[in-house]
Amino acid sequence: MTRTADATRPGMVSRLADMNRPASEQLLDPNRLELAALPEPPGAEATAAAPFAAPKDSWKDKYCAFLDGFVGLDALQRPATEAEERRFLEGFVTGLRHALDPVSNRGSLQQLVTSLDFCAKCNTCSEACHVFAGAGRAEIYRPLFRSEVLRRIVRDYVRGRLTLDTPGSWLRWETVARLGELAYRCNLCRRCAQACPLGLDNAVLAREVRKALSQELGLAPTALHASGTQLQLRTGSSTGLTKPALLDTLAFIEDFIGEKTGRTIKIPLDKKGADILLIHNAGEFLAWPENPAAFAILFEAAGLDWTLCSDMLGYDSVNYGVWYDDTQAREIGARQLQAAHDLGARRIVLGECGHAHRASMVSLDRAFGAAGRGWVPRESCLPLLAEMVEKKVLRFDPARNDFPVTLHDPCNLVRAMGIVKPQRVVLRAICPGFREMAPSGVTNYCCGGGSGFAVMQSLNFPDFRNRVSSRMKYRQILEAFQPELGGAARGGAAGMAGAAPGGGVTPNPSRPKYVCAPCSNCKGTIRDMFDYHKATSRLGLRYGGLAELMVNALADLKAPYLDFLSEVGA
Amino acid sequence: MLLTGLLLTGFVVFLTGSAVRAYLLLRLPIHGRWELYPVPGEKGRAAYGGSYYEENLWWQRPRATSFVSELGAMLGEMLFIRRLREHQKSLWWASVAFHWGLYCLAGFTALLAAGAAWEMGWGQAGPAALAVSAALRTATATLGGLGVALGLGGTLGLLARRLFDPALRLYSGPREYFHLALFAAAYVTALAVYAPALAAPGGRLALSLGVMKAVLTLAPVPADVAAGGAAVAHLVLLGLVLIYIPLSRLSHYVAKFVTYHRIQWDNGPNLPGSRLAGRLAREAGQPDAPGKAGANP
């Protein structure tokens, strides 16, 4: 893998062969990253340019921080002996062999083979990658860099004649460890695949690295596996929310609805034969109960025949397996469908969670063979909500949402599923201050929390997410609200009367500016992003789902539904 | 006769090799839904990247698809490499010239075959036949000239980018340079053969027609071709290029059909009783999918 070094930026990795360096050498110092510029409003306190903290010595000893100083794959710990190193390498290579097997990897094989074999090395993919752009074009974050390392391993050790004992064998455990970490520097957003002139898919390749490590060696981030899918299979939810806790939470939500709206709503639960089984990302119950509450208010007001489910895996729509492990994904998906089937619901409606939409409706659509008589239809909540607006099922007063609003498009909804219009139908009807980000729709940027980053909160991984992978999204948000923050708007802002173009506008943190993100993990990422940049206290940036905006706009509501409106006296 | 054999082998290997490549990719198991929007076949929605999932109760509604829209998108990609233009325009110029060069030369070859066949056996007598022959020669020469000019310009442009762009250079290895060198050599030798044609237009086309007639009739190439160093070099390189393309990564035109049509634009849902469900059942070795008339319960 020797290449001529590119010495244009000292200290930056530029060679594929660098992946083979010993563990004592960290390839990239994140403090040398030239992060993408943020259009901070003039006069506002600049986002603290605090240096990235170096990994603790104990982390360096235990984990594999020698890629870029961050640790995402926390289950991967340094092998203690040469025998362990060898088992690690053999396991990974075996995992790649299974990846190329038409029986064990049938669903991804076509995309995997084409992406491995036909890359023209034109680098067009990199021009679309938000991580690469946000990190100032640091070479190791280039999609092609990661894919090329994988290709060479496959070429030499899977399809080729090299073994670990062959003279000339070059594969080291550090190489695979770095590659494993690098697979968790990709949000699997597939913007690169959208840009590739040959239709190849770096996200598929990154995912196959994750799968080889997980399915063969049991190595996956704790947040996704041990505290994610395994917890979900054990308790019913990736949050650990058990049925008794769910019942308590629903009682709380009913009280919340009563206090907020004066309405008495009994959330239907385990109703047999209902038309709709609504399944939320269970994180909503814990972090944003106003969202499932909003759904309950809307569904009841619209007179829908609906229910929640309290059975195991029937109340949590998440499926982290789609990010790293087909076995986990199928297990969870099958049991979710079983819960719906047992309840006799006529259709499943997915609440506001992007990956849950995609897992249930797309990724697992062909995973269980031919659809049979027990097939349960699954659909997005968004067309249903749009219908409430279009058909005037409910009365909305847009003046109640008279503050700037922009829309973050979750990758799994738009690029992976083509659900673009319904959320816009709603926002245009109920938010007079709605404006698009640029780019938007199917060419959106990922929030930076995709593929599990949003829930990976351990060690120093949040630093990477908050400051690198979500950087382009934060930039988009600032640009979308530039009439209010200072500077001319980009990307087709709806008319904002009174907003002065150009400079001279001082950000008013009391005036809320709302990022509508109809996805739990995107909301979590934006929350953490705002926390890091102090975006709420400094700039008045807020975030939330779509259902909350709709409830806030209900014409017969006596007080604002959105808490921050009460805080700012709106 | 060796030259004729090499060229014929080249054509045969190119066609069959491409077909075999396509077969090997298409016989892989149906993908587990890796579609990517915008899907141009979505009627009325392709412009903004929407899908049938935007409809309430989508499974109860007839799917509106548009083959014309998909075909248009594919042609746009093939002819104009739209994605490259949108995301990396600086590379697009050289790439589109390279590919248009190949398209022109494919047209040149087809017209050459038609012209050779025409001159050998069909409608030989009369002014109309001569007019057709002349028109074919003109069109053939034009396409050939355009093809070489665009192809060589594109090849040199791509080579320059790979050599002088640090990011591209990092990922360019012997194989990438070999591909470009092979094409460049074929174009340069073509120029060497045809350059004198500037002084005698149409004269050198007769050489090409002679070679094509030899291939069509399995005869040795004309003696003046066999005696010309540049001509022999060109024909050898041409034969090798034709053989090499389907055996190498250069066969990405086959892969592109699969990645676009069969993966990124294949968003068909797995519904009970559907053709897709039947195919999934067969692939999995299951009895006919339940829900289909006459199938197992």
Side-chain angles (χ1 to χ4, degrees):
Chain A
M1 294 206 303
T2 304
R3 291 285 181 272
T4 304
D6 176 3
T8 53
R9 286 192 291 177
M12 300 293 281
V13 167
S14 59
R15 301 185 311 159
L16 291 157
D18 290 333
M19 290 285 278
N20 276 356
R21 285 189 179 170
S24 55
E25 299 181 37
Q26 183 174 314
L27 296 198
L28 176 76
D29 176 3
N31 288 306
R32 303 194 73 140
L33 290 173
E34 293 166 15
L35 299 175
L38 292 175
E40 287 281 357
E45 179 189 348
T47 302
F52 287 95
K56 297 179 187 174
D57 287 340
S58 56
W59 294 354
K60 283 198 248 185
D61 293 337
K62 187 176 177 187
Y63 301 106
C64 299
F66 43 81
L67 173 70
D68 54 4
F70 301 109
V71 178
L73 188 48
D74 57 350
L76 172 57
Q77 295 176 17
R78 290 190 179 221
T81 63
E82 279 189 20
E84 282 184 23
E85 289 176 14
R86 191 182 174 90
R87 270 199 298 278
F88 175 65
L89 287 176
E90 285 173 344
F92 183 70
V93 172
T94 303
L96 294 182
R97 273 191 228 290
H98 291 156
L100 288 170
D101 182 279
V103 174
S104 56
N105 199 23
R106 58 188 312 106
S108 302
L109 190 60
Q110 212 170 39
Q111 190 65 310
L112 175 61
V113 166
T114 49
S115 299
L116 280 174
D117 293 348
F118 291 97
C119 179
K121 322 284 176 62
C122 68
N123 267 327
T124 306
C125 52
S126 310
E127 300 305 317
C129 178
H130 64 289
V131 176
F132 183 61
R137 302 174 73 85
E139 200 61 37
I140 58 166
Y141 301 132
R142 185 188 290 278
L144 181 56
F145 184 96
R146 176 179 50 245
S147 299
E148 249 332 90
V149 174
L150 176 65
R151 285 193 186 100
R152 282 148 208 251
I153 297 174
V154 171
R155 179 194 67 192
D156 291 345
Y157 289 89
V158 180
R159 291 168 164 168
R161 299 194 178 184
L162 279 186
T163 67
L164 299 176
D165 301 310
T166 311
S169 173
W170 54 264
L171 192 63
R172 300 169 61 112
W173 77 269
E174 290 97 331
T175 318
V176 175
R178 286 190 177 106
L179 183 62
E181 277 290 344
L182 208 43
Y184 287 94
R185 303 296 183 273
C186 170
N187 284 124
L188 309 187
C189 78
R190 305 179 69 208
R191 210 165 184 269
C192 53
Q194 207 180 45
C196 177
L198 297 179
L200 312 184
D201 200 330
N202 292 291
V204 166
L205 298 182
R207 187 172 178 270
E208 291 299 326
V209 171
R210 295 184 182 196
K211 272 169 57 178
L213 290 169
S214 178
Q215 293 177 190
E216 208 61 40
L217 295 165
L219 296 172
T222 304
L224 303 191
H225 187 68
S227 302
T229 55
Q230 294 295 291
L231 182 61
Q232 187 175 9
L233 288 166
R234 212 167 49 243
T235 66
S237 167
S238 59
T239 62
L241 187 74
T242 58
K243 179 170 176 173
L246 172 70
L247 298 178
D248 282 345
T249 305
L250 292 180
F252 163 77
I253 288 177
E254 287 165 356
D255 289 342
F256 172 83
I257 292 172
E259 284 167 19
K260 272 287 192 183
T261 69
R263 301 177 190 206
T264 303
I265 288 178
K266 182 70 190 155
I267 295 175
L269 188 63
D270 299 327
K271 183 171 151 190
K272 293 281 190 193
D275 180 34
I276 292 170
L277 167 59
L278 176 64
I279 312 185
H280 291 290
N281 175 323
E284 299 280 354
F285 291 122
L286 302 180
W288 304 289
E290 66 272 16
N291 181 274
F295 271 89
I297 294 167
L298 292 169
F299 278 27
E300 288 294 300
L304 297 178
D305 175 20
W306 70 288
T307 186
L308 298 181
C309 173
S310 68
D311 286 342
M312 279 280 281
L313 276 84
Y315 55 89
D316 190 358
S317 63
V318 310
N319 190 338
Y320 295 168
V322 295
W323 298 327
Y324 76 98
D325 191 311
D326 286 346
T327 313
Q328 304 296 315
R330 277 195 284 267
E331 174 76 22
I332 288 171
R335 290 176 62 176
Q336 287 169 334
L337 289 174
Q338 189 63 46
H341 191 264
D342 291 346
L343 206 53
R346 286 199 281 281
R347 50 178 162 150
I348 293 173
V349 171
L350 283 310
E352 293 183 37
C353 178
H355 90 275
H357 271 66
R358 181 169 167 209
S360 179
M361 295 168 66
V362 176
S363 302
L364 295 174
D365 180 50
R366 299 175 182 175
F368 305 118
R373 288 208 179 94
W375 183 77
V376 180
R378 285 92 72 194
E379 65 173 351
S380 169
C381 62
L382 296 178
L384 198 59
L385 296 177
E387 205 171 73
M388 290 180 191
V389 171
E390 284 179 307
K391 294 190 175 173
K392 301 189 184 348
V393 171
L394 300 174
R395 271 198 326 120
F396 295 98
D397 177 8
R400 293 166 182 239
N401 282 339
D402 190 14
F403 44 84
V405 173
T406 192
L407 173 65
H408 160 68
D409 283 302
C411 305
N412 284 315
L413 290 179
V414 291
R415 198 163 23 259
M417 295 182 67
I419 301 176
V420 180
K421 220 175 192 177
Q423 54 271 44
R424 285 164 166 81
V425 163
V426 174
L427 288 172
R428 288 193 179 111
I430 68 169
C431 296
F434 171 62
R435 76 286 305 270
E436 294 273 9
M437 288 190 196
S440 62
V442 295
T443 55
N444 74 316
Y445 280 125
C446 175
C447 62
S451 83
F453 289 21
V455 299
M456 289 162 61
Q457 304 284 21
S458 64
L459 300 163
N460 62 356
F461 192 76
D463 278 350
F464 178 80
R465 183 194 61 230
N466 292 336
R467 299 183 65 179
V468 182
S469 67
S470 64
R471 195 161 183 90
M472 295 304 287
K473 178 54 61 178
Y474 187 54
R475 183 158 110 169
Q476 278 193 296
I477 292 171
L478 292 176
E479 288 170 349
F481 292 128
Q482 274 196 316
E484 292 79 27
L485 296 177
R490 274 176 57 177
M496 284 293 298
V505 175
T506 304
N508 178 3
S510 300
R511 174 105 165 106
K513 301 139 199 88
Y514 188 94
V515 178
C516 177
C519 169
S520 302
N521 285 336
C522 298
K523 285 196 299 195
T525 302
I526 293 171
R527 171 197 61 205
D528 293 344
M529 175 207 302
F530 283 1
D531 279 348
Y532 174 76
H533 291 285
K534 302 184 178 54
T536 302
S537 57
R538 291 192 303 122
L539 307 174
L541 298 186
R542 304 280 181 170
Y543 72 95
L546 184 64
E548 301 93 299
L549 274 178
M550 291 178 70
V551 170
N552 197 64
L554 285 174
D556 56 352
L557 220 60
K558 296 199 174 10
Y561 185 72
L562 295 169
D563 275 341
F564 61 79
L565 291 176
S566 305
E567 289 168 19
V568 301
Chain B
M1 198 60 198
L2 280 176
L3 283 174
T4 302
L6 179 62
L7 288 172
L8 199 56
T9 304
F11 284 123
V12 169
V13 169
F14 179 82
L15 291 173
T16 54
S18 301
V20 168
R21 276 273 193 191
Y23 170 73
L24 290 175
L25 288 176
L26 290 170
R27 74 164 188 175
L28 290 173
I30 188 170
H31 68 96
R33 306 262 328 242
W34 284 101
E35 67 256 36
L36 201 59
Y37 290 84
V39 171
E42 287 286 322
K43 195 171 187 177
R45 296 191 172 104
Y48 67 89
S51 77
Y52 56 89
Y53 283 133
E54 294 183 314
E55 300 267 8
N56 200 11
L57 302 169
W58 59 267
W59 59 95
Q60 295 180 355
R61 301 174 192 275
R63 275 200 66 203
T65 58
S66 168
F67 174 72
V68 169
S69 177
E70 183 166 323
L71 190 63
M74 194 67 212
L75 283 174
E77 263 306 317
M78 283 171 59
L79 297 177
F80 302 108
I81 321 179
R82 278 186 188 150
R83 289 185 181 186
L84 186 61
R85 186 176 63 190
E86 184 181 337
H87 294 280
Q88 199 177 189
K89 199 161 184 182
S90 61
L91 188 63
W92 177 75
W93 300 102
S95 185
V96 85
F98 177 88
H99 287 89
W100 268 98
L102 293 177
Y103 298 152
C104 287
L105 290 173
F108 164 82
T109 305
L111 288 181
L112 198 67
W118 184 269
E119 291 182 11
M120 281 193 302
W122 305 345
Q124 291 301 297
L130 286 173
V132 169
S133 180
L136 276 174
R137 285 193 177 220
T138 303
T140 306
T142 304
L143 269 184
L146 256 180
V148 170
L150 287 171
L152 183 58
T155 302
L156 294 178
L158 291 174
L159 193 55
R161 272 299 290 268
R162 287 206 181 272
L163 285 171
F164 299 118
D165 180 333
L168 272 184
R169 193 171 60 233
L170 190 63
Y171 300 97
S172 301
R175 189 176 350 211
E176 282 72 39
Y177 292 117
F178 173 71
H179 291 167
L180 291 171
L182 190 62
F183 278 98
Y187 285 126
V188 165
T189 49
L191 270 184
V193 171
Y194 275 90
L198 294 174
R204 290 288 161 164
L205 189 62
L207 286 180
S208 297
L209 280 168
V211 171
M212 181 57 78
K213 287 172 187 172
V215 170
L216 291 176
T217 56
L218 301 180
V221 299
D224 52 352
V225 172
V232 169
H234 175 64
L235 292 176
V236 168
L237 283 166
L238 182 60
L240 291 177
V241 166
L242 288 172
I243 291 169
Y244 183 71
I245 286 175
L247 304 181
S248 69
R249 193 180 305 160
L250 292 171
S251 58
H252 57 250
Y253 51 91
V254 174
K256 189 162 174 167
F257 172 81
V258 174
T259 58
Y260 277 68
H261 286 284
R262 292 303 180 100
I263 301 176
Q264 290 193 357
W265 295 350
D266 171 21
N267 62 344
N270 179 13
L271 295 175
S274 64
R275 256 196 328 191
L276 173 65
R279 185 177 161 194
L280 288 169
R282 284 191 299 279
E283 267 192 12
Q286 292 169 358
D288 282 339
K292 186 177 160 194
N296 294 326

